[in-house]
């Protein structure tokens, strides 16, 4: 089912809008200056929506400063306290993540809904497999069905108050449960889905989990905004998210260097050459597929598929542009000549 479109600040989410990249700061939100600096780094990396935790009134008081010095929509992550959510909205936040079922009385939910409606602020319901409600756990355990039921119970509370600007996320620490829960949700609700695998960890294992979890849903056309969770500097989350979107064909790759894994046929130190090519690339918004291949047997095929490619023999290499053989030159000079050609393509 196609999701509803809504606006997070000036950024559309859902309803066929391009899938957006989110991240979350790991600074103390009470420190508005450091949080702002981190958001600016995230923006530079390509982050399109950013979340930070608002755990007390001082955090909520940082919002006007952060808002004045940054350029992407801001999301307040709030647990339980509807007054903090209302303070965040009054201070200019663009979206709130809070689970209405955890707020308490219906009166408190109505106060939150009134503030959000007043300023057209969407609310994200965020269900984590690790913190399902007791009655859900008794009935379903930590299962995709349980995660969906939890999300739908929070949705029902907002809908009862006449509020429909809702985004849903259901994250589990296993790929299977995350994927299954979101597949179920995409059939049952019209609200945009925020995808992510929670507590993915760090390094390769985390990247694999997030790529499969988020990537397989996106390939099925499910998901409207994504956050890759990685322990450490959040800027890495943004780069990872961009790679996932590119890999599933939802974004241009930008500059992409493809290289072969090397094998017994390789007669050059291909890893060093690839590194040299990558390090020589200028900052650019252009898209270019560059192939660096280790032999003259299979290499030319891949090199021809690229915008510009090189395939190495033992003493020389051949260079292709847009599938056409351009020249053959000897090693090692051919590497610098190739790099200079790549730079011309990117000008
Ligand atoms: S392109 Fe050539 S060198 Fe590279 S892995 Fe394939 S066969 Fe080996």
């Amino acid at each position: 089912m196609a999701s509803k479109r809504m606006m997070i600040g000036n950024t559309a989410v859902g309803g066929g809008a391009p899938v957006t990249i989110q991240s979350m700061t790991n600074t103390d939100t009470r420190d508005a200056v450091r949080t702002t600096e981190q958001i600016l780094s995230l923006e530079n990396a390509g982050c399109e929506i950013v979340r930070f935790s608002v755990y007390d009134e001082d955090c909520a008081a940082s919002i006007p400063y952060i808002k004045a010095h940054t350029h992407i929509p801001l999301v307040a992550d709030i647990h339980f306290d509807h007054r903090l959510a209302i303070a965040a909205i009054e201070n200019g936040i663009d979206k709130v993540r809070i689970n209405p079922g955890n707020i308490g009385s219906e009166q408190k939910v109505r106060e939150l809904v009134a503030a959000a409606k007043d300023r057209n602020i969407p609310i994200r319901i965020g269900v984590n497999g690790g913190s399902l409600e007791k009655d859900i756990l008794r009935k379903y355990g930590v299962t995709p069905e349980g995660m969906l039921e939890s999300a739908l119970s929070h949705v029902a509370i907002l809908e009862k108050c006449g509020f429909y600007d809702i985004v849903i996320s259901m994250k589990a620490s296993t790929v299977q449960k995350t994927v299954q829960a979101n597949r179920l949700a995409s059939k049952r609700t019209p609200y945009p889905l925020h995808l992510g695998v929670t507590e993915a960890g760090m390094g390769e294992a985390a990247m694999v989990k997030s790529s499969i979890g988020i990537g397989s849903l996106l390939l099925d056309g499910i998901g409207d905004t994504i956050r890759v969770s990685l322990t450490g500097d959040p800027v890495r989350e943004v780069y990872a998210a961009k790679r996932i979107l590119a890999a599933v064909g939802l974004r241009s790759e930008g500059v992409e260097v493809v290289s072969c894994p090397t094998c017994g046929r390789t007669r050059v130190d291909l890893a060093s050459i690839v590194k040299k090519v990558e390090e020589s690339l200028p900052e650019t918004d252009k898209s270019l597929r560059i192939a660096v291949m280790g032999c003259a047997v299979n290499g030319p095929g891949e090199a021809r598929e690229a915008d510009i490619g090189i395939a190495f023999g033992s003493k020389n290499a051949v260079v292709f542009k847009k599938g056409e053989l351009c020249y053959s030159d000897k090693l090692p000079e051919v590497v610098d000549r190739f790099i200079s050609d790549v730079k011309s393509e990117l000008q």
Side-chain angles (χ1 to χ4, degrees):
M1 149 184 345
S3 61
K4 259 170 75 98
R5 173 177 293 223
M6 59 198 64
M7 297 305 292
I8 320 289
N10 54 10
T11 300
V13 168
V19 175
T20 45
I21 296 172
Q22 305 209 14
S23 185
M24 185 167 182
T25 59
N26 58 11
T27 50
D28 186 339
T29 311
R30 288 182 298 182
D31 186 339
V33 173
R34 278 194 60 223
T35 302
T36 296
E37 282 167 5
Q38 190 169 64
I39 293 172
L40 292 173
S41 306
L42 290 165
E43 285 182 13
N44 266 339
C47 182
E48 292 158 318
I49 298 172
V50 68
R51 177 164 52 116
F52 45 78
S53 56
V54 174
Y55 61 85
D56 68 8
E57 285 169 12
D58 289 342
C59 296
S62 291
I63 293 170
Y65 179 91
I66 297 172
K67 179 109 178 154
H69 295 87
T70 58
H71 316 89
I72 54 177
L74 307 176
V75 184
D77 192 277
I78 292 165
H79 290 275
F80 312 121
D81 190 339
H82 79 296
R83 285 165 311 168
L84 280 180
I86 292 170
I89 291 169
E90 286 171 350
N91 284 352
I93 207 77
D94 298 300
K95 182 171 125 193
V96 174
R97 186 254 175 157
I98 192 166
N99 290 349
N102 301 341
I103 290 176
S105 69
E106 186 177 324
Q107 178 54 29
K108 291 176 180 172
V109 177
R110 289 197 179 276
E111 286 170 22
L112 167 64
V113 161
K117 267 188 177 170
D118 214 29
R119 290 176 167 80
N120 293 322
I121 304 298
I123 295 176
R124 169 157 73 91
I125 290 164
V127 170
N128 275 358
S131 51
L132 291 177
E133 297 80 2
K134 287 201 180 85
D135 56 329
I136 299 264
L137 278 176
R138 266 195 302 276
K139 195 166 172 196
Y140 297 95
V142 183
T143 58
E145 291 76 14
M147 290 165 67
L148 178 62
E149 282 312 309
S150 173
L152 293 180
S153 69
H154 293 295
V155 166
I157 294 170
L158 291 180
E159 288 180 338
K160 190 173 169 219
C161 298
F163 190 83
Y164 305 95
D165 280 351
I166 301 168
V167 178
I168 297 174
S169 69
M170 283 168 298
K171 303 183 183 183
S173 54
T174 74
V175 169
Q176 297 95 318
K177 285 179 187 171
T178 304
V179 169
Q180 196 52 30
N182 282 282
R183 282 187 180 148
L184 292 173
S186 72
K187 295 196 186 99
R188 293 272 303 273
T189 89
Y191 299 115
L193 294 175
H194 161 126
L195 304 182
V197 178
T198 193
E199 295 130 24
M202 58 198 301
E204 271 177 28
M207 275 304 304
V208 169
K209 275 187 180 180
S210 290
S211 303
I212 297 172
I214 295 172
S216 56
L217 286 163
L218 291 175
L219 284 170
D220 286 347
I222 298 169
D224 301 286
T225 180
I226 68 172
R227 187 225 172 164
V228 176
S229 295
L230 295 176
T231 307
D233 183 353
V235 165
R236 290 174 50 241
E237 297 184 349
V238 177
Y239 290 132
K242 284 162 90 173
R243 282 181 188 270
I244 291 172
L245 290 179
V248 299
L250 290 177
R251 292 275 173 111
S252 123
E253 293 278 356
V255 177
E256 183 195 15
V257 179
V258 296
S259 58
C260 77
T262 74
C263 71
R265 287 199 178 94
T266 322
R267 295 286 174 268
V268 292
D269 179 0
L270 197 74
S272 304
I273 295 170
V274 171
K275 190 161 179 267
K276 189 169 178 184
V277 170
E278 285 185 337
E279 286 174 355
S280 72
L281 296 173
E283 287 281 325
T284 179
D285 293 333
K286 290 194 174 169
S287 293
L288 192 73
R289 186 175 167 92
I290 305 164
V292 183
M293 307 301 291
C295 79
V297 178
N298 294 331
E302 184 71 44
R304 270 198 201 96
E305 294 295 310
D307 296 307
I308 180 163
I310 186 165
F312 289 93
S314 56
K315 295 200 172 68
N316 65 353
V318 284
V319 171
F320 295 85
K321 287 185 193 169
K322 303 259 185 285
E324 300 291 325
L325 175 62
C326 275
Y327 58 85
S328 167
D329 202 352
K330 62 180 187 309
L331 281 157
E333 294 85 344
V334 67
V335 174
D336 287 332
R337 185 173 171 190
F338 177 70
I339 286 173
S340 129
D341 288 345
V342 167
K343 285 182 177 163
S344 314
E345 295 284 331
L346 290 170
Q347 271 170 5

